[in-house]
């Protein structure tokens, strides 16, 4: 498929073209950059919902319920499951729950697991790019599930309009998330597994945390097991989207800044890898003095002295 044809099929929300475009971008295949450039300007953007929380808290189970509820509204949906890549396989694991939906072969729900090769410890650049491709395809809602550990959890704010943090009534995660300040990135708290009892305590704990700052946190108890609280949560997300629309626009400007920075860093790294004078510098003075070598490389960069081998 030629890039032009791929693009026009992508714009028609063709799942085969979408999958192909994503692979092309993930694997840095020839013309991937042209394809990404050509999808702009994006006609309209999707609501991007980030879902974070400890493994086992019920993120994938909740997503399955949210999808079922959004699907009946006739919306086109996508789910990205961001997994820390295994150093052995370099691949990503898709949660069982999501695998089930994927196998249901629903054309209105696009599900993709993406390995997080980690860009400066955060979400990899391709996560941003895949979200762009999904938006070009006209998805209405994109849900991004991150494994609730490490930097990808914090970086979710750079791709999501609204961040949900999933907690459980009995979990002791709070101490950790309070301490690490991760709690601050959440727009909405979901106390899932409320069927286990004790969710009131958890709600109080979160309210307490924010009492001093005067922030009124949005908290929704849910139970996937007993199918409770999902419509309320969805309404809460929509309300947040309406009431915070100004903040969401501000935030998307900052997200764009973060995205551009990631693109620039990647392009610089690519150029450095391809320039023989850089490796000569590294092997030469770099062995004796890494700081001097770095300065010289920066000099080459700023004076346009770095050249691709191909040039
Ligand atoms: N009791 C109870 N179990 C739940 C609920 N939601 C999810 N689970 C279970 O919790 C486990 C982890 O769920 P999963 O969605 O894979 O969690 P994730 O790792 O956060 O994506 C599964 O065994 C689910 O069946 C709930 O509301 N109540
Ligand atoms: Mg999961």
């Amino acid at each position: 498929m030629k890039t032009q044809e791929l693009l026009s099929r992508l714009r028609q929300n063709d799942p085969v073209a979408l999958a192909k475009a994503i692979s092309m971008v993930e694997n840095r295949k020839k013309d991937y950059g042209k394809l990404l450039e050509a999808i702009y300007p994006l006609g309209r953007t999707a609501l991007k919902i980030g879902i974070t929380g400890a493994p086992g808290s019920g993120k994938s189970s909740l997503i399955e319920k949210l999808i079922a509820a959004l699907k009946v509204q006739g919306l086109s949906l996508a789910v990205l499951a961001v997994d820390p890549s295994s150093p052995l396989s370099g691949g990503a694991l898709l949660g069982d729950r999501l695998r089930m939906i994927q196998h249901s072969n629903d054309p209105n729900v696009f599900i993709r697991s993406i390995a997080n090769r980690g860009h400066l410890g955060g979400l990899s650049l391709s996560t941003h790019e895949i979200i762009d491709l999904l938006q070009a395809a006209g998805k209405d809602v994109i849900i991004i599930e991150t494994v609730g550990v490490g930097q990808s959890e914090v970086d979710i704010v750079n791709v999501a309009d609204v961040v949900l943090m999933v907690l459980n009534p009995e979990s002791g995660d709070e101490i950790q998330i309070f301490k690490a300040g991760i709690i601050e990135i959440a727009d909405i708290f979901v106390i899932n597994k409320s069927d286990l009892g004790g969710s009131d305590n958890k709600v109080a704990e979160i309210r307490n945390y924010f009492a001093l700052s005067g922030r009124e946190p949005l908290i929704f108890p849910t139970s996937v097991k007993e199918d409770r609280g999902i419509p309320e949560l969805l309404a809460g997300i929509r309300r947040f989207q309406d009431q915070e629309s100004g903040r969401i626009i501000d935030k998307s400007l900052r997200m764009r800044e973060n995205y551009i920075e990631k693109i620039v860093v990647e392009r610089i790294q690519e150029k450095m890898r391809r320039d023989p004078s850089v490796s000569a510098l590294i092997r030469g003075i770099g062995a004796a003095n890494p700081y001097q070598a770095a300065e010289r490389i920066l000099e080459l960069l700023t004076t346009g002295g770095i050249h691709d081998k191909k040039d």
Side-chain angles (χ1 to χ4, degrees), residues 53-61 63 81 83 93-98 145-147:
S57 54
K59 297 179 295 297
S60 301
S61 311
I63 290 171
D83 287 312
L93 301 159
L94 195 58
D96 288 343
R97 292 265 162 190
L98 296 181
E145 175 183 348
T146 70
V147 165

Side-chain angles (χ1 to χ4, degrees), residues 14-279:
D14 172 348
V16 177
L18 191 49
K20 211 174 158 181
I22 291 176
S23 299
M24 190 169 152
V25 164
E26 277 192 316
N27 301 314
R28 298 290 185 246
K29 287 272 161 58
K30 186 175 167 286
D31 287 346
Y32 87 89
K34 273 195 199 140
L35 176 73
L36 286 171
E37 256 183 70
I39 62 174
Y40 275 86
L42 291 172
R44 62 194 181 87
T45 53
L47 171 65
K48 295 167 283 291
I49 306 173
I51 302 196
T52 184
S57 54
K59 297 179 295 297
S60 301
S61 311
L62 271 167
I63 290 171
E64 196 185 359
K65 289 285 180 195
L66 290 174
I67 281 183
L70 288 165
K71 223 165 57 174
V72 297
Q73 299 174 11
L75 299 173
S76 183
L77 312 167
V79 181
L80 290 181
V82 181
D83 287 312
S85 45
S86 141
L88 291 177
S89 66
L93 301 159
L94 195 58
D96 288 343
R97 292 265 162 190
L98 296 181
R99 205 173 291 118
M100 267 158 52
I101 318 179
Q102 190 181 41
H103 287 169
S104 71
N105 264 334
D106 189 327
N108 280 322
V109 185
F110 184 89
I111 297 183
R112 181 91 177 198
S113 164
I114 46 178
N116 185 33
R117 286 178 204 92
H119 195 92
L120 301 177
L123 293 174
S124 61
L125 179 58
S126 55
T127 308
H128 295 255
E129 294 162 341
I130 292 166
I131 289 171
D132 266 358
L133 292 172
L134 292 169
Q135 297 195 105
K139 295 295 172 201
D140 299 300
V141 180
I142 302 171
I143 302 179
I144 307 122
E145 175 183 348
T146 70
V147 165
V149 281
Q151 191 60 35
S152 68
E153 190 164 42
V154 177
D155 205 21
I156 190 78
V157 295
N158 289 315
V159 292
D161 299 318
V162 48
V163 175
L164 271 54
M165 180 170 287
V166 182
L167 300 168
N168 296 146
E170 293 173 334
S171 64
D173 310 328
E174 294 63 38
I175 327 269
Q176 273 209 330
I177 64 165
F178 288 172
K179 238 183 10 202
I182 293 169
I183 193 164
E184 307 284 345
I185 67 162
D187 298 305
I188 293 178
F189 295 91
V190 184
I191 317 295
N192 187 42
K193 305 196 187 181
S194 61
D195 52 280
L196 300 178
S199 52
D200 289 350
N201 294 340
K202 200 96 306 184
V203 172
E205 261 180 65
I206 297 166
R207 287 205 194 290
N208 263 340
Y209 176 88
F210 287 106
L212 278 178
S213 64
R215 175 178 158 193
E216 189 75 46
L218 296 168
I219 311 174
F220 295 89
T222 58
S223 169
V224 171
K225 193 178 167 197
E226 295 180 347
D227 206 357
R228 279 191 292 112
I230 315 292
E232 290 81 359
L233 171 62
L234 208 50
I237 294 171
R238 289 299 192 189
R239 219 164 39 239
F240 178 88
Q241 187 188 12
D242 288 341
Q243 288 172 356
E244 302 288 327
S245 60
R247 237 190 62 194
I248 291 175
I249 293 170
D250 282 353
K251 205 167 123 175
S252 54
L253 287 176
R254 268 179 289 125
M255 295 195 301
R256 181 54 50 88
E257 213 176 285
N258 174 279
Y259 186 10
I260 294 172
E261 197 180 295
K262 282 180 178 172
I263 298 172
V264 171
V265 169
E266 190 193 71
R267 300 269 159 98
I268 290 176
Q269 284 174 337
E270 261 170 29
K271 276 181 182 295
M272 278 178 60
R273 261 184 236 119
R274 284 208 298 253
D275 189 322
S277 59
V278 169
S279 33

